[in-house]
Amino acid sequence: MLQRCLDVLAPALTAPGAVVVDATLGLGGHSEALLRTFPEARLVAVDRDPAALRLAGERLAPFGERATLVHAVYDEIPQVLADLGIPAIEAALFDLGVSSMQLDEADRGFAYAQDAPLDMRMDQTTGISAAEVLNTYSHGDLARILKVYGEERFAGKIASVILREREREPFSNSARLVELVRNAIPAATRRTGGNPAKRTFQALRIEVNGELSVLERAIPGALDVLAVGGRMAVMSYHSLEDRLVKQVFAAGATATAPPGLPVVPEEHQPRLKLLTRGAEQATEQEIAENRRATPVRLRAVERIRASVRQG
């Protein structure tokens, strides 16, 4: 959905010196497209993964000073911009979830299709690994994250199996976890919906990286530094992310005045305009070219009014 993102952000990036933030740099594919498509724009890109920053830096080197790459989590965007002396931005792009590089590198432990160390940290220099979560969390906490973050129906049963098996031997690699989850789920359920470990791996990844709590701060934070007339596009890959983005965008696009007022005061007017009708999905052609585009949901907004605290 890259072209659709470029199209939706384009009206905000026509002026020379317009600043666009790529909140999820990854390997730099989106950043490169932004710099090529908008030759007078300046890019600020953040990523929590040092390996991604290094590889993307090589890719974006030809753009020189137009590209500024920063090691940060995307809920830190307001501080990153303040440190760079940038008071407001014209556009922001979020491509949530795991980058292709992280999925494709076996030793990161994100993919359930190959045996690998259970790490799952997007930034391997900090935080706890998925193995530590499996080996130390209580039954209640494991069941909670599997149910809430993985939307796993058999969360309690899987948590029980994990606790029993870690007493025998601590968890270290993904293949053992995949096999245990498969055996814990009823055979009838295993026959549908793809790999039965998918939901467990999603839950562990979200927990290890604090993805939802970070996102909960990141979207409002980025909206706060979006200039009037600025635009934001967000691509989500599972319902938890998409629901959160939808709620923040819907709240910003709704008047906050009590119902029944003959005139809505300026400070209660909506500050956002929705640019997508619901969530847009990838086309059949895009999915045929890249299977990972299948679950993507795109939502976009335009900032139409300054908030009260901005004056």
Side-chain angles (χ1 to χ4, degrees), residues 157-300:
K157 188 174 182 181
I158 293 171
S160 296
V161 171
I162 290 170
L163 258 68
R164 185 183 72 229
E165 288 298 316
R166 78 186 188 191
E167 290 300 314
R168 190 171 63 83
E169 180 186 350
F171 285 92
S172 61
N173 278 50
S174 57
R176 179 178 172 220
L177 178 61
V178 170
E179 187 64 23
L180 289 174
V181 171
R182 180 180 284 113
N183 292 336
I185 291 175
T189 304
R190 292 201 302 266
R191 287 193 284 269
T192 60
N195 194 312
K198 177 172 67 174
R199 293 179 294 276
T200 294
F201 273 64
Q202 173 179 299
L204 287 170
R205 192 198 80 221
I206 290 172
E207 173 68 12
V208 164
N209 296 290
E211 288 179 36
L212 291 179
S213 57
V214 169
L215 183 62
E216 209 166 4
R217 296 186 296 270
I219 299 298
L223 286 170
D224 280 347
V225 294
L226 195 65
V228 174
R231 292 184 167 210
M232 179 188 294
V234 182
M235 288 184 283
S236 307
Y237 291 82
H238 57 76
S239 60
L240 298 171
E241 291 174 339
D242 182 56
R243 192 178 307 137
L244 196 155
V245 175
K246 176 184 177 181
Q247 289 169 350
V248 175
F249 283 2
T254 304
T256 59
L261 290 181
V263 178
V264 177
E266 177 70 18
E267 63 267 25
H268 292 292
Q269 296 278 3
R271 63 175 186 149
L272 302 178
K273 179 175 76 173
L274 303 179
L275 299 174
T276 50
R277 295 186 62 182
E280 296 185 4
Q281 297 176 245
T283 64
E284 290 183 8
Q285 181 180 340
E286 287 171 326
I287 293 171
E289 293 171 358
N290 180 8
R291 296 292 299 174
R292 288 175 185 168
T294 304
V296 70
R297 300 290 184 271
L298 170 66
R299 296 182 187 272

